Amino acid sequence: MFEKIKSIHKEIEQLSAKNIEDIELLRIKYLSKKGIITELFNDFKNVTQEERKEVGKLLNELKNSLQEKINILKNSFENSQESDKSELDLTLPANFIMGGSRHPLSVTRSKIVEIFSRIGFTVAEGPEIEDDWHNFSALNFPEEHPARDMQDTFFINKNPDIALRTHTSSVQIRVMETEKPPIRKLFPGRVYRNEAISSRSHCFFHQVEGLYIDKDVSFADLKQALLYFAKEMFGADTKIRLRPSYFPFTEPSAEMDISCFLCEGKGCPFCKYTGWVEILGCGMVDPEVLKNCNIDSKIYSGYAFGMGIERITNLKYRVKDIRMFSENDIRFLKQFQSAV
Ligand code: DAH
């Protein structure tokens, strides 16, 4: 009995609790009906007459020391909660959460897609790693065309048939091969060219391609769609002009300029005193391209256009160095916070 009381004493000295619930468990363990100390009191009747006095005293001390321990533990929790409470100053302003912002190229891309979606265009995407057929051959690039040159295109060493796409026109082919007209789609995405990186050119950039194939699609339809786009993107007073140009996959082909929105066409350093700034290439889809995709050019015709997202963004927000778009400098990016 003496030994037992001693060891429980030691046990009690070492007791600890992580929370109020733990303390209640301790009370149950020692003092409940079947608790360790209660059991000892029950055994008291078996203690011999001579030892009774001594054992009784020790048992009471044991019970008291447990009660004391429980009180100490309780107090320590209450005090720490008190101090937690006093450190909480509800009048302080909340922690500042830095709002993110959309990337300027993503803002421009969404704007282009949104404008064309109002006249029936939907979005499709294609792979950035392309084969020669979709990037060049089906688009009517002759075998010896300079755009296929190693200087412009990133080819895969082991297989010259595979390259990083140089334009999103490749997605035209993928869509025309798998879908039947009418087709009215936009193809936004990243493209790659083996060019020296400078403030004006980069080895990767972004384009949006547009394609409309149906019966009786004419150059007038193309011009009307692009005029609508230019006015929505750059302002209602914007004028457009189409200059004859050449692309292997369109015939006839054109480049489109918009009236300079800085000087309203009067001429300034921005438009190099011409009053116009170039924004995209376009044309009527070459019948040869339709044939490559098994679309009958006697029944169907169509137009296509392609523009650089960086170029449009530069014009709209006057970004002077194309490298800014991929450097992820937060001081640059956060200027577009309200551009959504
Ligand atoms: N693919 C051309 C380029 O990357 C852009 C382009 C021009 C696309 C004329 C077209 C188009 O669809 O009709 O420079």
Side-chain angles (χ1 to χ4, degrees):
M1 192 77 165
F2 288 106
E3 279 311 306
K4 233 180 181 173
I5 294 176
K6 219 178 183 180
S7 83
I8 296 173
H9 238 300
K10 272 206 184 120
E11 212 177 286
I12 289 174
E13 265 163 33
Q14 286 175 14
L15 288 181
S16 65
K18 288 198 198 74
N19 47 41
I20 301 282
E21 283 80 8
D22 274 359
I23 298 175
E24 175 59 9
L25 289 177
L26 289 178
R27 195 195 61 75
I28 291 169
K29 182 175 171 193
Y30 290 98
L31 295 177
S32 63
K33 252 193 176 168
K34 291 222 163 116
I36 295 171
I37 293 179
T38 319
E39 298 268 9
L40 282 179
F41 272 96
N42 290 343
D43 288 342
F44 186 65
K45 56 182 180 290
N46 303 325
V47 174
T48 58
Q49 201 62 39
E50 304 91 89
E51 290 177 331
R52 276 197 164 215
K53 204 172 164 199
E54 178 72 326
V55 171
K57 192 175 149 223
L58 290 174
L59 275 179
N60 281 331
E61 280 174 2
L62 186 67
K63 194 176 170 184
N64 288 341
S65 70
L66 178 78
Q67 200 57 60
E68 209 171 280
K69 184 77 186 183
I70 285 179
N71 287 343
I72 291 171
L73 289 173
K74 266 190 184 160
N75 275 344
S76 75
F77 276 115
E78 269 154 22
N79 284 342
S80 74
Q81 277 177 348
E82 279 293 323
S83 62
D84 276 352
K85 260 183 226 155
S86 61
E87 274 165 27
L88 206 69
D89 182 352
L90 295 175
T91 63
L92 286 175
N95 285 344
F96 180 67
I97 301 169
M98 260 272 278
S101 57
R102 287 182 64 200
H103 193 282
L105 295 180
S106 156
V107 173
T108 306
R109 174 193 147 133
S110 304
K111 184 81 189 151
I112 298 169
V113 168
E114 192 251 321
I115 293 171
F116 280 105
S117 74
R118 285 187 239 144
I119 50 172
F121 283 79
T122 56
V123 169
E125 288 184 5
E128 291 180 16
I129 302 172
E130 257 305 359
D131 51 38
D132 181 277
W133 171 254
H134 292 96
N135 198 75
F136 293 127
S137 297
L139 286 160
N140 210 25
F141 279 80
E143 210 50 65
E144 67 295 345
H145 195 282
R148 295 181 180 218
D149 199 297
M150 299 298 274
Q151 277 170 14
D152 285 319
T153 309
F154 287 116
F155 288 97
I156 307 292
N157 263 348
K158 279 194 185 139
N159 184 354
D161 187 46
I162 306 291
L164 292 176
R165 68 179 177 196
T166 58
H167 53 181
T168 43
S169 305
S170 54
V171 193
Q172 275 191 31
I173 303 300
R174 290 194 172 269
V175 168
M176 285 193 284
E177 278 174 342
T178 51
E179 291 178 30
K180 289 199 160 49
I183 297 169
R184 203 192 309 237
K185 292 234 150 106
L186 288 180
F187 316 120
R190 182 174 291 170
V191 302
Y192 301 83
R193 287 189 200 170
N194 193 359
E195 281 183 28
I197 297 172
S198 73
S199 63
R200 299 169 65 97
S201 66
H202 211 294
C203 59
F204 64 81
F205 53 100
H206 302 79
Q207 291 185 329
V208 176
E209 179 91 7
L211 177 74
Y212 177 36
I213 310 282
D214 205 344
K215 289 175 184 154
D216 303 322
V217 178
S218 72
F219 202 93
D221 297 323
L222 169 64
K223 197 173 167 185
Q224 198 53 42
L226 293 179
L227 176 64
Y228 173 70
F229 166 71
K231 283 176 180 290
E232 293 296 309
M233 192 77 195
F234 296 102
D237 295 333
T238 310
K239 294 180 186 60
I240 62 166
R241 97 178 162 181
L242 291 158
R243 285 177 289 105
S245 184
Y246 172 77
F247 299 101
F249 38 89
T250 42
E251 181 59 34
S253 304
E255 271 166 312
M256 186 175 100
D257 300 336
I258 55 167
S259 51
C260 179
F261 41 82
L262 279 191
C263 61
E264 288 160 357
K266 290 184 201 85
C268 70
F270 185 72
C271 60
K272 299 194 189 88
Y273 300 99
T274 62
W276 297 94
V277 283
E278 186 196 319
I279 66 159
L280 55 79
C282 60
M284 300 305 291
V285 178
D286 194 303
E288 203 57 34
V289 175
L290 294 176
K291 199 175 107 196
N292 288 337
C293 303
N294 289 324
I295 292 178
D296 189 344
S297 62
K298 285 190 207 79
I299 305 175
Y300 294 106
S301 58
Y303 64 69
F305 56 87
M307 65 186 99
I309 300 182
E310 277 81 352
R311 171 110 185 117
I312 304 283
T313 312
N314 284 348
L315 292 175
K316 217 166 151 56
Y317 303 111
R318 321 275 150 74
V319 178
K320 293 213 173 71
D321 191 329
I322 196 173
R323 289 170 292 197
M324 303 281 252
F325 292 124
S326 48
E327 276 167 359
N328 283 336
D329 185 330
I330 219 92
R331 290 166 302 178
F332 169 70
L333 295 176
K334 74 177 178 195
Q335 295 177 52
F336 297 87
Q337 215 135 17
S338 57
V340 194

